[in-house]
Amino acid sequence: MREYKIVVLGSGGVGKSALTVQFVQGIFVEKYDPTIEDSYRKQVEVDGQQCMLEILDTAGTEQFTAMRDLYMKNGQGFVLVYSITAQSTFNDLQDLREQILRVKDKDDVPMVLVGNKTDLEAERVVGKEQGSNLARHFNCSFMETSAKAKIHVNDVFFDLVRQINRRTPINSEKPKKRTCHIL
Amino acid sequence: MWRICGVSKAEPALFARNLDDDYQPTWRLWGEERVDGAIYTVYLKKVRYHRPTRSASNSESDDEISHLEWETVRVRFVKAGTVERLVEALATDDGELESTYVNVFLATYRSFAECSRVLDLLLRRYEALAAEEVHPTAVDTSLQHRKTLVACLHVWLDTYPEDFRQPPHHPALQQLLAFTQVHLPGTELHTKVLQKLAVFSAERNGGCGAGGLCLAAGMRVAAHHTSAYRLPHVPHRHFAEQLTRMDMELFKKLVPHQCLGAVWSRRDKDRNHDAATVLATVNQFNAVSFRVISTVLVEPNLRPLERAEILAAWLDIARELRVLKNFSSLKAIISGLQSNPVYRLKKTWALLAKEKAELFDELARIFSEDNNRWAQRELLMREGTAKFANTVGENDRQLQKLLHERGSPGVSHGTIPYLGTFLTDLTMIDTAIPDTVADGLINFDKRRKEFEVLAQIKLLQGAANAYHLPQDSMFDRWFDSVIVLDDRESYQLSCQIEPPTNPPKERRPKKINDSNSHCHRKNDSIASTSSSNSSQFYCETDGAAIGWKRDSLERRVSPTRLSHGSSSSSLPSLDVSLSSGNSGQKPANGKAAPPRAGPDFYIIRVTYESECAETEGVVLYKSIMLCNNERTPQVIRNAMLKLNLDGDPDGYTLAQVLPEKEMLLPANANVYYAVNTAYNLNFILRPRKTQQLEPVVNGKSRGKRP
């Protein structure tokens, strides 16, 4: 089964963790343990293919700035999250994206821009138009989600898997060395 | 609490089949119980009724066990409740202290109630019990109950004195004082409250109370003396110990409940205040990483071998940190080495000795993100409260060798964890588990889950007392003297040391998208008016504040940046110029300078000397960039900006600090060429003697140059 390493980035308080937990476990769960080995792993079927997604959520460690490079180096696809209720979280993403491109040393990296917290429509300050314009700039896809109300959460991750598949189709992956066959 | 008397003969085995896997074999989940304002989880717990008497010679056969008597007691835990109910539950129905519950409650109550509310409820409960005492039948329980409440207050005051600080009037403490005067005069609690009050008011009145100023005095440095340490030739063990000493001080001061998701990761709260001790730890972590990055990069002229020695020195320090079980600075160093500007220096890494490269891999493996950071969690579990480091993986050859060489050290060490894992776990718990359950009752099970993490932190804090590391103020001076580069500065330096290998033409040209021109980001105006494509990147992202750097930065990166700049998607503003028809690939005139052999800038450090008494003896250096075309007035302006000084640059003089004397720079010198590079590039800015210009120190940083 193909594995996908997905990194969720964004400022503190944008609901990154809610997005991840909703996708992996479905909030709210009574018995939840964030410390076990497969807390952030989920198997899904995308376009008829089984995929294993490993989510790296940076929630709680946004301010450990020196560590971002490593997250980025290891990630294959990126979810850039802002909150539609906080303009600054939207503005912060420009720098994050630049950092990703620098670390990956590429112009084009699988990425989804996510405006979260659409359940708080009354508090919206970042327009949908603004989001889609930025996504065009970034040349990536764009979605508005509500992790709380379970809206479009899976779509974010599925889209990312498709993007990764498009850029590196399964047959173009490094062929695994088969050392010996016992027949 | 009621009891079901059981006869033991019965079926320990049968019992076992019904057990909930999560609990010890003697526990069985019985169900939930609802009362007004609370939900309890009820367990049946099997306990031995009589202790078996057996002699040493007798082996314990099945037969004997079957004659034991057991009883089953019912134990209930609060699952959820109103604040009132949760406060009541501090004592059991029998009035006994339930210590685990008290610990969980006091560590986490801030997420659902204010200090004053909880105190109020506690005191009112005491008063109610005191009033009840008229019924003679309940005297004992009531007495016990009140004793327990007093014990809770003791624990609270001892464990979380900060809750009662509430400057300037300490209302909660005053309330408690009034209470003890009435109900418990002359008791230990009464005395404790009076003492706490005295301490708080002394701190408020005494000038040097909190230690801030005292610390500053301790850091006083003989004027313009910089540190004697210089990488790579530093004592590794000593450096590791000093880093550990710094971490330990912060870790011991860490207030665990500030790590809670509801406090630390909520954007709407004021972290500087509510999570100050967490922030201090994070800042120290970053400071260590930044020092790794900057010491590796800051001298672009080093030979690759010399730079590799600096990498090796950090790895040696990291190795010592592993022995000291300081996982915070250890991870900070590894993160610094893995940061893009350092990690991409392939030629430098290639010169690292084989065993050093192995060591790096082994240390980095500790912090692998794989399987939810399993390696790191496992290690902390094994060594957290152990006396010394003793865990290595099968493939960790260098670490095996290290631990073998050291044997078991005579002194035991504490442990300093990397806090980030706990912060992530607590954030996730806060997200995944709801604050309230049905009927709006406070979900106390969530608090228990959080407490599992907090308890680990507390345990490690206790273990940290095992460190005994004296302070070396020369190390502190070295630490403070290392300049800190921001993301871009370090990347540019890195590219200067080893230009990017990825040839620009291989880059996929970005699709031109008309809609980009409709984007209303602030950079559009800059982009459309600027004649130079390459400068937009810096204009736009850094803002005008460092606009002055633009020329120098541009020049440094020009060979690569310019040639592929127009195809790089990291430059959103470029799309605008492209779509407006200016898609010619020719770089701007005269910018494509050939790569230079040496740097065309230095990073210099400037301090400000004023007549002010309170800064006397303290030297605070700020780093600025010095480009090869900058003359004295410009450099003074840059320095003033960094030091937050207002006024006319002509009112200041700039001098380089040399061992014997100072070298005053002429009013219009090319500073880059004028400086003496044989010595440290330390400068001093002074108000010019002849003019009496009053410098205005401005606390806030400014967004742009005047």
Side-chain angles (χ1 to χ4, degrees):
Chain A
M1 194 185 329
R2 187 164 179 193
E3 281 197 23
Y4 297 80
K5 283 193 190 301
I6 290 172
V7 183
V8 186
L9 293 165
S11 315
V14 297
K16 290 189 296 296
S17 53
L19 213 59
T20 304
V21 173
Q22 183 65 269
F23 176 67
V24 180
Q25 318 248 354
I27 38 178
F28 293 111
V29 272
E30 287 257 318
K31 294 260 182 272
Y32 173 75
D33 190 348
T35 66
I36 51 179
E37 275 178 71
D38 50 5
S39 303
Y40 304 110
R41 215 178 280 152
K42 186 172 185 175
Q43 186 180 334
V44 292
E45 189 185 309
V46 181
D47 303 331
Q49 250 179 352
Q50 291 295 320
C51 316
M52 181 59 83
L53 270 64
E54 174 116 32
I55 318 284
L56 182 63
D57 193 316
T58 58
T61 60
E62 297 86 357
Q63 303 207 350
F64 289 84
T65 47
M67 281 167 34
R68 275 191 217 141
D69 283 2
L70 188 64
Y71 291 146
M72 294 176 179
K73 205 174 309 201
N74 293 338
Q76 296 169 294
F78 297 85
V79 183
L80 298 189
V81 193
Y82 65 91
S83 160
I84 64 159
T85 67
Q87 184 71 45
S88 61
T89 66
F90 181 76
N91 300 342
D92 290 345
L93 294 180
Q94 180 81 26
D95 280 353
L96 270 181
R97 174 176 155 91
E98 272 164 26
Q99 200 180 348
I100 294 171
L101 297 179
R102 216 157 49 214
V103 170
K104 292 302 224 185
D105 201 17
K106 282 181 193 156
D107 297 341
D108 188 27
V109 177
M111 200 176 282
V112 182
L113 179 69
V114 172
N116 191 30
K117 303 199 184 178
T118 53
D119 48 295
L120 300 177
E121 190 58 44
E123 296 170 39
R124 180 193 279 273
V125 290
V126 183
K128 194 164 185 175
E129 191 67 357
Q130 261 182 294
S132 54
N133 280 336
L134 186 63
R136 269 198 292 276
H137 256 316
F138 285 0
N139 193 24
C140 72
S141 31
F142 170 63
M143 269 165 233
E144 286 201 334
T145 60
S146 166
K148 205 172 171 188
K150 308 183 188 185
I151 296 169
H152 294 319
V153 174
N154 288 355
D155 300 347
V156 169
F157 294 92
F158 285 26
D159 185 278
L160 209 44
V161 166
R162 292 192 183 104
Q163 285 190 43
I164 297 170
N165 286 343
R166 263 203 307 280
R167 283 170 179 89
T168 46
I170 217 145
N171 45 16
S172 82
E173 269 200 327
K174 274 177 255 165
K176 285 205 178 99
K177 271 188 192 158
R178 295 198 180 165
T179 42
C180 71
H181 288 271
I182 302 166
L183 297 170
Chain B
M1 188 185 299
W2 50 263
R3 291 168 186 206
I4 308 166
C5 283
V7 186
S8 59
K9 197 147 192 244
E11 334 52 48
L14 192 102
F15 226 104
R17 242 172 276 147
N18 302 333
L19 292 178
D20 183 335
D21 281 354
D22 290 340
Y23 296 91
Q24 302 159 22
T26 47
W27 291 88
R28 192 169 68 121
L29 181 65
W30 184 78
E32 270 183 14
E33 184 180 293
R34 280 168 187 269
V35 297
D36 185 32
I39 303 173
Y40 295 88
T41 315
V42 181
Y43 291 93
L44 298 180
K45 185 188 177 193
K46 199 154 57 88
V47 291
R48 254 178 204 171
Y49 197 54
H50 294 298
R51 285 198 71 82
T53 48
R54 65 187 145 102
S55 62
S57 57
N58 272 356
S59 68
E60 204 176 325
S61 69
D62 281 352
D63 193 41
E64 271 174 277
I65 289 177
S66 70
H67 290 296
L68 300 177
E69 286 193 32
W70 304 80
E71 68 172 352
T72 306
V73 294
R74 198 188 74 131
V75 185
R76 56 179 207 175
F77 296 99
V78 182
K79 177 187 163 77
T82 58
V83 189
E84 291 82 357
R85 288 290 188 176
L86 294 179
V87 170
E88 278 175 29
L90 288 167
T92 63
D93 298 347
D94 297 342
E96 302 285 339
L97 181 81
E98 233 230 81
S99 62
T100 311
Y101 181 84
V102 172
N103 282 327
V104 177
F105 182 91
L106 290 177
T108 59
Y109 80 84
R110 292 157 208 83
S111 14
F112 54 80
E114 301 263 322
C115 165
S116 56
R117 171 114 170 93
V118 172
L119 184 67
D120 207 43
L121 286 169
L122 236 162
L123 300 185
R124 266 198 269 162
R125 177 140 175 85
Y126 185 98
E127 281 162 351
L129 287 163
E132 258 173 31
E133 211 184 333
V134 282
H135 307 293
T137 46
V139 167
D140 279 356
T141 319
S142 165
L143 208 63
Q144 180 57 45
H145 226 128
R146 279 180 285 151
K147 252 195 211 163
T148 295
L149 292 178
V150 172
C152 288
L153 288 167
H154 272 291
V155 176
W156 193 358
L157 277 169
D158 291 343
T159 324
Y160 302 100
E162 285 306 301
D163 288 6
F164 295 90
R165 187 178 292 272
Q166 300 173 304
H169 301 302
H170 329 296
L173 208 53
Q174 294 290 358
Q175 189 185 357
L176 193 52
L177 181 66
F179 171 83
T180 50
Q181 272 162 352
V182 174
H183 294 278
L184 301 156
T187 57
E188 209 183 322
L189 186 66
H190 185 79
T191 321
K192 192 175 276 177
V193 172
L194 286 170
Q195 277 169 356
K196 280 266 156 11
L197 263 178
V199 169
F200 285 156
S201 49
E203 276 174 18
R204 200 177 61 235
N205 301 326
C208 201
L213 285 169
C214 297
L215 246 176
M219 280 163 58
R220 285 184 180 204
V221 178
H224 319 314
H225 229 278
T226 47
S227 104
Y229 293 122
R230 197 175 168 82
L231 282 159
H233 306 292
V234 295
H236 306 136
R237 171 103 195 175
H238 182 67
F239 260 50
E241 285 175 352
Q242 289 302 310
L243 288 172
T244 305
R245 193 238 330 142
M246 293 174 113
D247 289 336
M248 179 200 69
E249 282 165 10
L250 293 169
F251 183 53
K252 286 211 273 195
K253 277 189 207 144
L254 177 80
V255 179
H257 61 77
Q258 292 186 353
C259 299
L260 288 171
V263 182
W264 169 245
S265 63
R266 290 276 162 83
R267 196 182 180 83
D268 47 343
K269 301 234 171 136
D270 179 8
R271 280 185 185 177
N272 290 332
H273 177 257
D274 290 335
T277 63
V278 183
L279 201 58
T281 310
V282 177
N283 287 343
Q284 174 67 15
F285 179 97
N286 288 336
V288 173
S289 292
F290 288 147
R291 271 148 190 78
V292 174
I293 296 170
S294 96
T295 51
V296 173
L297 298 175
V298 80
E299 292 183 52
N301 283 333
L302 284 185
R303 284 181 292 122
L305 203 58
E306 291 173 307
R307 202 180 311 282
E309 278 173 17
I310 295 178
L311 292 182
W314 280 114
L315 283 167
D316 286 332
I317 294 167
R319 191 181 60 167
E320 297 299 332
L321 288 166
R322 173 66 191 86
V323 175
L324 288 165
K325 297 194 292 168
N326 178 352
F327 297 103
S328 187
S329 276
L330 175 55
K331 184 169 168 93
I333 291 178
I334 298 298
S335 298
L337 294 173
Q338 285 173 329
S339 74
N340 191 42
V342 174
Y343 197 73
R344 63 178 290 285
L345 299 175
K346 297 276 184 296
K347 286 176 195 151
T348 308
W349 283 95
L351 293 171
L352 207 60
K354 182 166 166 276
E355 72 263 21
K356 286 283 186 295
E358 270 180 21
L359 178 67
F360 174 63
D361 288 344
E362 289 169 23
L363 292 172
R365 265 207 294 273
I366 294 175
F367 301 107
S368 156
E369 302 287 346
D370 289 354
N371 299 319
N372 194 13
R373 307 173 190 167
W374 183 84
Q376 184 191 157
R377 290 176 193 277
E378 178 76 4
L379 189 55
L380 203 57
M381 198 77 90
R382 282 167 186 244
E383 283 187 15
T385 50
K387 287 194 168 137
F388 31 75
N390 54 11
T391 317
V392 283
E394 266 173 49
N395 301 320
D396 295 345
R397 284 175 42 198
Q398 296 301 322
L399 290 175
Q400 276 170 7
K401 212 161 79 187
L402 172 71
L403 295 185
H404 182 73
E405 277 167 19
R406 297 291 161 87
S408 62
V411 282
S412 57
H413 302 306
T415 300
I416 294 171
Y418 161 63
L419 202 62
T421 310
F422 294 130
L423 294 173
T424 301
D425 290 349
L426 286 167
T427 303
M428 289 299 179
I429 291 173
D430 186 47
T431 303
I433 306 178
D435 284 337
T436 52
V437 296
D439 313 333
L441 298 179
I442 296 155
N443 184 359
F444 200 74
D445 272 354
K446 173 174 185 168
R447 307 303 156 198
R448 291 181 202 277
K449 192 77 199 165
E450 290 180 326
F451 186 72
E452 285 174 20
V453 181
L454 298 186
Q456 274 191 63
I457 298 175
K458 279 168 184 275
L459 200 67
L460 294 170
Q461 282 182 309
N465 287 318
Y467 287 118
H468 296 287
L469 303 163
Q471 176 174 6
D472 168 14
S473 52
M474 200 160 75
F475 176 84
D476 289 354
R477 250 172 279 149
W478 170 81
F479 196 85
D480 292 336
S481 73
V482 178
I483 72 151
V484 170
L485 305 163
D486 70 28
D487 269 7
R488 278 189 191 79
E489 286 168 344
S490 45
Y491 184 67
Q492 304 307 341
L493 277 167
S494 175
C495 289
Q496 199 182 328
I497 294 163
E498 279 186 33
T501 49
N502 195 2
K505 53 192 154 208
E506 280 179 16
R507 297 247 172 146
R508 214 153 58 82
K510 190 177 180 302
K511 249 189 273 167
I512 294 163
N513 195 336
D514 268 355
S515 60
N516 284 334
S517 54
H518 301 305
C519 175
H520 38 261
R521 282 179 66 80
K522 61 179 187 255
N523 51 298
D524 276 358
S525 58
I526 300 169
S528 51
T529 56
S530 171
S531 59
S532 156
N533 285 349
S534 58
S535 61
Q536 292 156 15
F537 180 70
Y538 302 103
C539 285
E540 186 261 319
T541 51
D542 287 351
I546 59 156
W548 62 272
K549 275 191 203 165
R550 202 163 78 207
D551 285 342
S552 59
L553 282 163
E554 194 178 298
R555 203 169 337 97
R556 277 190 287 141
V557 298
S558 52
T560 47
R561 173 61 71 187
L562 266 180
S563 44
H564 73 260
S566 49
S567 66
S568 165
S569 60
S570 66
L571 313 179
S573 51
L574 281 172
D575 298 335
V576 179
S577 48
L578 286 174
S579 58
S580 62
N582 181 19
S583 55
Q585 297 296 312
K586 237 191 273 176
N589 285 342
K591 297 283 177 155
R596 281 160 201 272
D600 48 9
F601 70 95
Y602 299 123
I603 288 164
I604 64 169
R605 304 185 314 152
V606 187
T607 187
Y608 174 66
E609 188 188 271
S610 69
E611 314 286 315
C612 283
E614 70 259 25
T615 56
E616 200 184 348
V618 181
V619 179
L620 180 67
Y621 277 108
K622 296 272 188 178
S623 300
I624 61 170
M625 225 163 207
L626 169 64
C627 303
N628 72 353
N629 58 353
E630 284 179 318
R631 295 188 174 268
T632 312
Q634 181 63 47
V635 179
I636 289 178
R637 247 195 301 272
N638 295 342
M640 289 170 67
L641 193 69
K642 193 84 178 194
L643 293 161
N644 272 338
L645 297 169
D646 278 339
D648 184 356
D650 291 342
Y652 293 87
T653 63
L654 186 71
Q656 185 181 5
V657 181
L658 299 173
E660 301 295 326
K661 56 183 169 36
E662 290 177 8
M663 180 182 74
L664 185 71
L665 287 153
N668 196 28
N670 180 322
V671 182
Y672 179 88
Y673 293 111
V675 296
N676 187 338
T677 53
Y679 298 96
N680 287 334
L681 297 178
N682 295 331
F683 290 78
I684 184 158
L685 192 69
R686 284 202 187 84
R688 197 181 286 278
K689 286 278 155 52
T690 50
Q691 282 169 278
Q692 292 302 317
L693 276 173
E694 203 65 72
V696 181
V697 177
N698 193 343
K700 59 177 199 291
S701 65
R702 277 153 299 167
K704 59 180 185 215
R705 269 173 63 204

